[in-house]
C-alpha cells in the first residue's frame, strides 16, 4: 500500500453512506470526461445507483485534491524542457489568467489562476515549478510576453529562456484546449479558488490518462490504459 511508504495516510470514507467503490467511480467520471455533475448523476442512475448531483459535487471537492496529490507522486519525472503559456478566462464574472506549464510530452507540470498578467504573476508560477518539480529546467520556452523575462531575471534563469518561438510553444498552447471544453461544459468557473482546485485535480487525472491515440498502436494503447487504471486504483488505496 502507498501509505506503507510513509508519504500519505489512507483515504478515509467514514461517515459516507455510499460505498467507496461508487465514490471513486463518480469522481473518476467527472474528472476523466467532459461531464457535468448531472451527467454523472444520470450515468450512475442507469446502473441503479441513486445519488444526487450535489452529493457528487461534494465528493469531488473532498476527494479530488487528495487524489491529485497522490497521482502526481506516482508519475515519473517529467522532461526538463518547460513550456509556459497563459490564457485569459472569465471566472466569477472577472477577467483572470490561467498560467500553465507543460513539458515536451504534454505533461502538465503546474498551473496557477491569477488576476494579473505581469512579472509578479509569472514569478509565482516559476517559483511553484522550481519548488515542486523533481528535476531542474534545462530550457524554458515562452511566448513573447515580457513578464516572463522579468521573472526569469529575478530568479537568475535568463540563460535558460527560449522566447518568442511560437511553433516551439505550441505544446503549451494546445494544453489549454481540454480546459476550454470543460469551461463550456461547466458554464465557466464560479470563483478563483474553485477554478484552481478543479484545474489542479483535472491536470493530475489528465496526465495519468492522456495518450496520443493517433500515434499509438492498439496493443500499446491497451497497455497504457491498463497502467493508467492501475495508477488510479493505487492512488485511492
Amino acid at each position: 500500500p502507498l501509505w506503507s511508504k510513509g508519504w500519505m495516510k489512507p483515504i478515509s470514507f467514514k461517515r459516507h453512506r455510499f460505498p467507496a467503490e461508487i465514490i471513486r467511480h463518480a469522481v473518476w467520471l467527472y474528472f476523466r470526461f467532459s461531464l457535468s455533475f448531472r451527467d454523472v448523476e444520470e450515468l450512475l442512475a442507469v446502473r441503479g445507483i441513486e445519488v444526487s448531483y450535489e452529493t457528487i459535487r461534494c465528493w469531488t471537492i473532498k476527494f479530488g485534491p487528495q487524489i491529485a496529490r497522490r497521482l502526481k507522486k506516482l508519475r515519473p519525472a517529467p522532461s526538463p524542457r518547460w513550456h509556459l503559456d497563459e490564457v485569459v478566462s472569465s471566472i466569477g464574472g472577472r477577467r483572470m489568467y490561467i498560467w500553465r506549464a507543460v513539458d515536451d510530452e504534454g505533461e502538465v507540470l503546474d498551473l496557477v489562476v491569477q488576476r494579473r498578467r505581469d512579472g509578479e504573476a509569472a514569478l509565482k508560477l516559476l517559483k511553484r515549478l522550481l519548488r515542486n518539480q523533481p528535476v531542474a529546467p534545462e530550457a524554458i520556452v515562452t511566448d513573447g510576453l515580457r513578464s516572463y523575462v522579468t521573472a526569469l531575471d529575478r530568479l537568475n534563469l535568463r540563460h535558460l529562456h527560449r522566447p518568442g518561438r511560437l511553433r516551439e510553444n505550441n505544446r503549451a498552447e494546445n494544453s489549454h484546449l481540454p480546459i476550454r471544453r470543460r469551461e463550456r461544459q461547466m458554464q465557466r468557473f464560479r470563483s478563483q479558488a474553485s477554478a484552481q482546485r478543479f484545474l489542479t485535480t483535472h491536470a493530475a487525472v489528465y496526465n495519468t490518462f492522456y495518450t496520443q491515440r493517433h500515434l499509438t498502436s492498439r496493443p500499446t494503447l491497451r497497455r497504457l490504459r491498463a497502467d493508467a487504471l492501475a495508477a488510479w486504483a493505487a492512488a485511492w488505496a
Side-chain angles (χ1 to χ4, degrees):
L2 296 176
W3 63 87
S4 66
K5 300 178 182 179
W7 64 277
M8 269 192 187
K9 295 180 180 179
I11 292 178
S12 173
F13 295 94
K14 290 182 179 179
R15 295 185 295 277
H16 285 277
R17 181 165 63 91
F18 288 88
E21 181 181 356
I22 292 175
I23 296 174
R24 286 195 296 264
H25 187 64
V27 173
W28 178 73
L29 285 172
Y30 180 69
F31 287 109
R32 176 66 182 91
F33 304 104
S34 296
L35 300 173
S36 68
F37 294 124
R38 293 181 186 272
D39 291 334
V40 176
E41 175 186 4
E42 187 154 341
L43 287 171
L44 293 177
V46 169
R47 300 179 60 181
I49 304 168
E50 293 296 334
V51 54
S52 73
Y53 72 91
E54 187 62 27
T55 297
I56 296 168
R57 185 184 72 85
C58 292
W59 290 346
T60 63
I61 291 173
K62 178 177 180 179
F63 295 109
Q66 297 182 62
I67 290 304
R69 289 191 295 269
R70 289 162 177 257
L71 288 174
K72 190 171 182 179
K73 287 180 179 291
L74 290 169
R75 298 293 297 167
S79 161
R81 187 175 179 85
W82 297 353
H83 298 251
L84 278 56
D85 193 46
E86 73 294 332
V87 64
V88 67
S89 180
S90 178
I91 300 175
R94 301 187 62 175
R95 185 183 180 90
M96 295 191 187
Y97 297 90
I98 301 173
W99 295 74
R100 192 175 180 89
V102 303
D103 73 358
D104 275 350
E105 301 300 321
E107 179 99 358
V108 181
L109 303 176
D110 208 342
L111 57 89
V112 59
V113 180
Q114 304 191 79
R115 297 181 181 179
R116 305 176 74 93
R117 193 172 178 246
D118 56 12
E120 287 297 326
L123 183 64
K124 182 175 181 179
L125 173 64
L126 282 162
K127 283 184 174 180
R128 283 172 63 104
L129 287 166
L130 294 169
R131 182 173 62 249
N132 296 328
Q133 294 306 310
V135 294
E138 294 179 0
I140 300 175
V141 183
T142 75
D143 57 20
L145 186 67
R146 289 288 302 173
S147 299
Y148 293 116
V149 176
T150 301
L152 289 165
D153 280 341
R154 291 180 60 177
L155 294 170
N156 296 318
L157 294 176
R158 182 74 174 274
H159 62 288
L160 301 179
H161 193 205
R162 307 291 183 268
R165 301 181 180 180
L166 296 180
R167 294 184 64 181
E168 285 191 25
N169 215 34
N170 282 344
R171 179 69 73 181
E173 293 173 2
N174 291 340
S175 73
H176 292 299
L177 297 179
I179 297 306
R180 289 304 196 197
R181 288 195 293 268
R182 292 309 299 255
E183 277 186 306
R184 290 192 293 270
Q185 178 67 38
M186 300 166 70
Q187 298 180 349
R188 302 194 181 277
F189 300 112
R190 304 298 174 84
S191 70
Q192 183 176 354
S194 65
Q196 181 72 52
R197 181 177 59 245
F198 171 82
L199 293 171
T200 300
T201 304
H202 180 273
V205 178
Y206 176 84
N207 287 344
T208 301
F209 288 93
Y210 170 71
T211 56
Q212 293 181 308
R213 300 182 65 169
H214 63 292
L215 301 176
T216 306
S217 67
R218 197 66 191 177
T220 301
L221 181 61
R222 285 196 296 267
R223 179 179 57 80
L224 293 174
R225 183 178 291 150
D227 290 345
L229 290 171
W232 176 259
W236 284 92

